[in-house]
Amino acid sequence: MRAQSSATTPSRIAVDSKTRPTGAGTPVPAASRRTGTLLAALGVVAFSLTFPATVWGLEGFGPWSLVAVRSVLAALIAGACLLALRVPLPDRRHLAGLAVVAAGVVVGFPLLTTLALQTSTTAHAAVVVGLLPLTTALFSALRMGTRPSRTFWTAALAGAAAVVAFTVQQSGGALTTADLYLFGALLVCAAGYTEGGRLAGVMPGWQVIGWALVLCLPLSVPAAALALSYEPVRLSAHSVAGLLWVAAGSQFLGLVVWYRGMAAIGIPKASQLQLAQPLLTLVWSVLLLGEHLTVAAPLTAAAVLVCIAVTQRARG
């Protein structure tokens, strides 16, 4: 019995080190850290296209139709992957967490930001993304007991302040009725990211968002049918491209690499990579939507990159 225990201990430790959430303080190998950072960064690039793609989608779809149809399409992609790989159903103990991910990431954030983008510019809406890393870190500290260092928090607050100042300045400093939608989206998305990052420590990240999308099908299918019957649809190259991106890129593929990245490097540090997301969104807004940037953009970009570097080096 003692020999068997000593023989199996290394393998058990290896399994535990792969499955335990890094937010709990588990040491992360350098190679895994680099891979996790790359995956999380790819997720940020995918998310940075969400607002411009949503604006394109709104050219041909109503807000409720766009959100419901994107959820259905993403769920079909995810369901096909789960079926093809014969992935077993998630444990019942994970259903509550998947419900939080579904409510925050699949339904809440897309719906609230889409409603906001009807009257808000992409620059103004980017305030949400600028605050999301800090909010996610706060949710992570409350939910998982993570305790980042003072240096980490100082850099995170400085980066968030820089992004908020930049995006508010870009929108003229005016607060609109869309702000309620944006702040609501901020809270529900942070909760979904935190719970998804926790679940990605015990199951592959793509399965987390995959099952969350599939769980929403009983709601998203009738919602799509109802919304399409009330809201007019005017198909165009922009509206179709926008819909396909927010469904396949933002709603599924982006979240797959994002959750895997969070599982590898920890929720607080991964969330700080999103400090660059508003600036990327503004770049896409210029290229895809014809918006104009001020000279403040490169200065803010430099400040944000410094903050990201500090948070990535700070020890929790």
Side-chain angles (χ1 to χ4, degrees):
M1 183 69 70
R2 296 173 69 93
Q4 182 180 3
S5 175
S6 62
T8 57
T9 297
S11 62
R12 291 183 62 185
I13 293 176
V15 171
D16 288 344
S17 66
K18 293 179 181 178
T19 59
R20 187 180 302 156
T22 56
T26 304
V28 183
S32 297
R33 215 165 35 236
R34 288 192 295 269
T35 301
T37 300
L38 175 61
L39 290 173
L42 289 175
V44 169
V45 173
F47 299 153
S48 70
L49 283 160
T50 300
F51 286 173
T54 299
V55 172
W56 273 10
L58 287 172
E59 293 181 11
F61 295 89
W64 296 89
S65 299
L66 181 61
V67 172
V69 172
R70 73 181 270 185
S71 179
V72 171
L73 292 178
L76 292 177
I77 297 172
C81 294
L82 292 168
L83 285 175
L85 297 177
R86 298 180 179 179
V87 177
L89 293 173
D91 293 341
R92 293 183 61 182
R93 60 192 174 96
H94 297 321
L95 292 180
L98 289 172
V100 173
V101 175
V105 177
V106 178
V107 178
F109 187 79
L111 177 60
L112 293 171
T113 53
T114 300
L115 292 173
L117 284 169
Q118 288 187 290
T119 57
S120 174
T121 64
T122 55
H124 190 77
V127 172
V128 173
V129 182
L131 293 175
L132 189 55
L134 180 59
T135 311
T136 303
L138 290 172
F139 269 77
S140 173
L142 294 174
R143 177 67 176 89
M144 302 177 64
T146 55
R147 294 293 183 269
S149 65
R150 290 183 179 179
T151 301
F152 180 97
W153 285 117
T154 301
L157 287 170
V163 170
V164 169
F166 175 68
T167 50
V168 169
Q169 184 271 335
Q170 286 288 298
S171 63
L175 296 178
T176 68
T177 55
D179 288 327
L180 290 177
Y181 291 134
L182 295 174
F183 286 122
L186 171 69
L187 295 177
V188 298
C189 189
Y193 277 175
T194 299
E195 199 64 22
R198 184 188 68 81
L199 289 174
V202 295
M203 68 172 71
W206 75 272
Q207 292 183 23
V208 174
I209 186 57
W211 286 121
L213 286 164
V214 171
L215 285 175
C216 285
L217 273 175
L219 175 65
S220 59
V221 170
L226 182 63
L228 289 171
S229 67
Y230 280 94
E231 295 179 336
V233 175
R234 296 177 296 276
L235 295 181
S236 65
H238 275 184
S239 62
V240 172
L243 171 63
L244 292 178
W245 179 258
V246 294
S250 302
Q251 194 80 76
F252 182 64
L253 296 177
L255 285 168
V256 168
V257 295
W258 174 245
Y259 281 140
R260 288 193 63 182
M262 280 201 296
I265 64 176
I267 295 173
K269 288 191 175 182
S271 69
Q272 300 315 305
L273 293 174
Q274 281 195 305
L275 287 169
Q277 186 174 324
L279 303 179
L280 289 173
T281 297
L282 291 171
V283 171
W284 298 127
S285 298
V286 170
L287 297 177
L288 301 177
L289 303 178
E291 295 186 3
H292 299 283
L293 299 181
T294 68
V295 293
L299 296 178
T300 307
V304 167
L305 290 176
V306 170
C307 293
I308 292 175
V310 173
T311 57
Q312 292 301 296
R313 291 179 178 275
R315 290 185 177 183

